[in-house]
């Protein structure tokens, strides 16, 4: 091509006047649409596309929303995939998000016209879900819940380790957090629990060895400088063999608050996850405080849950740091809807029968056609929950090279690659997405 083709590139205002861009202008705004137009014009000037095709290319390249996030089908067999946003929200929670996006009474008492307690409905729903908790509070994620507890109980300006509810003197310089050496875990993306706790100004007092710890180790460590005992569920790994640990029930009488970080957000025992700690059991065992995540096995939005002694939770809620860690109205609405609404997708996927998964896999393979075949799979909870637990599943196997095409498709699908094949594991796919998955697979096959 010579330079004459550049003169044929349509003007920006001409392209923006194309009637097909009307919906995009309303949804994305003029500035975002103009960015796409200018980028497409540059492609035409560089000779990558014909000048006459600019308008068509702009329409085709227009993003569906103003956000860069794209919806993805999770066919990995990992129910709580951290890279895919962990728990998918229920329809009830999504409706609640839409409601909360407008002006709401999040911190207003409509009856009196005065200020109301922020997220009162959410707190009531959480308290009803965990009746063993005397008080409840919510932060913006699980790590925030733990750091608020550590700051209030053992941080640089923490209160002394007197019985809960009694007044104690402020100690500057940090108190001790007694924790088993084998529970000093890395929580993901390079963040290590010791670093997180020490950032509060607290001092860590490690007890036991990597594989074994006894009650006597805790007894010897607890003293006037102890702010709290911390029990951490190693939710990303399993240690087997010559091991021993001490349950909360054996630590609750040592005279200091016992904080149990259960991680995965299981509020009550679940028959499919007998070894996964839950909030109700830990509180009944004597934990002063339980911390957990809302976007894991609970199936809600990202949030940190604080459940426990009423006086202690009130103290945490009134701590200055609580303001910096508080959740917004969207999280409050989605969390309440998760707690009060129907079974969240994560729980439904966890409890789905293998027979139902096989039936869906057979139908999906028929919809996709050759070379799709039905296969048995082994799924997992993921997201820092139930390590080592294998969930029998079923799915559809495709040629391994389709994994990249599925991921790069117009409607992205993330599959599981194993034994030289691309597997669509249905344990992590809601039944409502089967037709979408079939369409994406047929498109990838070409």
């Amino acid at each position: 091509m010579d330079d004459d083709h550049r003169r044929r590139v349509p003007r920006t205002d001409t392209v923006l006047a194309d009637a097909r861009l009307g919906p995009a202008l309303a949804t994305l705004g003029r500035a975002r649409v103009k960015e796409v137009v200018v980028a497409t014009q540059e492609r035409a000037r560089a000779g990558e596309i014909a000048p006459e095709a600019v308008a068509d290319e702009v329409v085709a390249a227009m993003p569906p929303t103003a956000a860069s996030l794209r919806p993805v089908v999770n066919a990995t067999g990992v129910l709580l995939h951290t890279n895919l946003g962990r728990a998918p929200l229920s329809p009830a929670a999504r409706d609640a998000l839409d409601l909360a996006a407008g002006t709401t009474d999040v911190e207003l008492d409509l009856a009196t016209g005065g200020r109301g307690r922020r997220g009162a409905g959410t707190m009531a729903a959480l308290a009803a879900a965990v009746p063993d908790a005397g008080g409840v509070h919510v932060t913006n994620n699980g790590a925030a819940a733990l750091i608020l507890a550590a700051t209030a109980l053992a941080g640089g300006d923490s209160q002394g380790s007197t019985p809960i509810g009694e007044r104690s003197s402020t100690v500057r310089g940090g108190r001790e957090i007694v924790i088993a050496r084998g529970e000093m875990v890395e929580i993901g993306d390079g963040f290590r629990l010791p670093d997180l706790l020490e950032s509060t100004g607290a001092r860590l007092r490690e007890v036991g060895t990597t594989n074994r710890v006894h009650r006597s180790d805790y007894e010897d460590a607890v003293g006037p400088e102890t702010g709290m005992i911390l029990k951490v569920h190693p939710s990303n790994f399993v240690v087997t063999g010559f091991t021993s640990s001490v349950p909360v029930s054996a630590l609750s009488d040592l005279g200091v608050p016992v904080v149990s970080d259960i991680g995965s957000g299981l509020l009550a025992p679940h028959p499919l996850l007998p070894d996964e700690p839950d909030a109700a059991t830990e509180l009944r065992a004597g934990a002063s405080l339980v911390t957990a995540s809302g976007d894991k096995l609970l199936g809600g939005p990202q949030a940190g849950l604080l459940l426990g002694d009423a006086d202690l939770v009130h103290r945490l809620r009134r701590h200055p740091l609580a303001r910096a860690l508080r959740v917004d109205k969207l999280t409050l609405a989605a969390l309440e809807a998760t707690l009060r609404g129907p079974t969240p997708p994560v729980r439904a996927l966890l409890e789905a029968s293998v027979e139902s998964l096989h039936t869906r896999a057979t139908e999906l393979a028929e919809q996709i056609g050759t070379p799709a075949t039905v296969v048995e799979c082994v799924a997992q909870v993921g997201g820092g929950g139930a390590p080592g637990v294998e969930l029998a599943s079923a799915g559809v196997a495709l040629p391994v090279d389709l994994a990249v095409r599925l991921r790069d498709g117009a409607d992205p699908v993330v599959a599981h690659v194993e034994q030289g094949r691309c597997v669509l594991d249905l344990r992590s796919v809601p039944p409502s997405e089967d037709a979408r998955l079939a369409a994406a697979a047929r498109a990838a096959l070409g």
Side-chain angles (χ1 to χ4, degrees):
M1 280 183 144
D2 58 29
D3 289 343
D4 289 342
H5 75 280
R6 301 178 188 177
R7 301 192 183 98
R8 303 200 310 275
V9 175
R11 292 166 51 91
T12 301
D13 54 357
T14 301
V15 179
L16 288 172
D18 192 308
R20 293 175 295 172
L21 293 180
L25 288 166
T27 302
L28 307 176
R30 185 179 178 86
R32 181 70 184 94
V33 173
K34 186 177 179 180
E35 287 178 6
V36 178
V37 172
V38 171
T40 308
Q41 289 171 321
E42 289 301 315
R43 292 179 58 204
R45 294 187 182 102
E48 297 177 13
I49 60 174
E52 294 76 17
V54 167
D56 292 340
E57 290 287 333
V58 167
V59 172
M62 204 57 61
T65 68
S68 61
L69 290 175
R70 298 178 63 188
V72 173
V73 177
N74 175 17
T76 64
V78 180
L79 302 190
L80 299 168
H81 200 302
T82 299
N83 302 123
L84 300 179
R86 290 184 180 158
L89 296 180
S90 67
R94 296 185 186 202
D95 289 343
L97 284 174
D98 186 58
L99 181 151
T103 305
T104 71
D105 59 343
V106 64
E107 210 166 331
L108 177 69
D109 186 331
L110 291 174
T112 65
R115 183 169 184 159
R117 184 185 175 189
R118 184 179 181 84
T122 305
M123 301 307 161
L126 184 56
V130 191
D132 293 286
V136 300
H137 184 62
V138 179
T139 61
N140 53 13
N141 60 33
L146 182 55
I147 205 169
L148 178 58
T151 301
L153 292 172
D157 292 326
S158 62
Q159 299 292 314
S161 57
T162 54
I164 296 171
E166 296 184 14
R167 184 177 296 276
S168 58
S169 59
T170 298
V171 178
R172 295 189 179 275
R175 305 186 70 83
E176 289 182 346
I177 296 176
V178 177
I179 181 173
R181 184 167 281 109
E183 296 175 10
M184 304 278 276
V185 300
E186 183 172 308
I187 60 177
D189 197 26
F191 289 96
R192 295 179 172 177
L193 185 64
D195 297 336
L196 184 72
L197 295 173
E198 289 177 339
S199 72
T200 69
R203 291 174 286 140
L204 301 185
R205 179 77 177 270
E206 300 177 39
V207 296
T209 62
T210 302
N211 60 319
R212 292 177 69 83
V213 63
H214 307 282
R215 175 186 156 90
S216 59
D217 294 320
Y218 289 94
E219 287 180 307
D220 294 341
V222 170
E225 290 299 305
T226 305
M228 63 185 250
I229 294 173
L230 176 61
K231 284 286 300 174
V232 178
H233 175 54
S235 56
N236 288 322
F237 62 93
V238 177
V239 178
T240 60
F242 188 58
T243 66
S244 68
S245 60
V246 183
V248 166
S249 59
L251 301 173
S252 59
D253 62 347
L254 294 182
V256 295
V258 178
V259 178
S260 177
D261 179 33
I262 63 172
S264 68
L266 197 61
L267 300 186
H270 194 288
L272 294 177
L273 307 172
D275 296 324
E276 190 70 8
D278 66 275
T281 300
E282 293 294 276
L283 290 170
R284 290 172 190 168
S288 306
L289 190 70
V290 170
T291 63
S293 296
D295 58 342
K296 296 182 180 180
L297 287 173
L298 179 59
Q302 177 176 291
L305 311 181
L306 288 153
L307 315 160
D309 179 86
D311 291 338
L312 177 54
V313 172
H314 177 74
R315 176 174 155 192
L316 299 181
R317 187 168 62 85
R318 299 308 304 168
H319 193 281
L321 184 61
R323 174 76 179 191
L325 303 178
R326 79 175 188 177
V327 294
D328 69 343
K329 60 181 180 177
L330 299 177
T331 301
L332 289 170
L335 180 58
E336 180 178 2
T338 299
L339 292 164
R340 295 193 186 279
T343 302
V346 166
R347 180 64 68 92
L349 292 169
L350 174 67
E351 298 173 353
S353 68
V354 178
E355 292 75 19
S356 68
L357 297 177
H358 270 285
T359 298
R360 290 174 54 200
T362 300
E363 294 173 352
L364 181 63
E366 292 175 353
Q367 293 175 36
I368 295 173
T370 306
T373 58
V374 177
V375 294
E376 294 183 352
C377 311
V378 177
Q380 57 185 301
V381 174
V389 173
E390 295 184 342
L391 304 172
S393 184
V396 173
L398 297 167
V400 68
D401 61 309
L402 259 68
V404 175
R405 291 188 225 167
L406 284 166
R407 200 170 58 244
D408 290 343
D411 192 9
V413 173
V414 181
H416 176 57
V417 175
E418 64 171 15
Q419 300 178 358
R421 60 188 183 181
C422 170
V423 177
L424 307 177
D425 191 325
L426 296 183
R427 174 67 74 176
S428 57
V429 181
S432 60
E433 294 188 347
D434 284 357
R436 177 182 168 195
L437 184 57
R442 288 195 298 269
L445 284 168

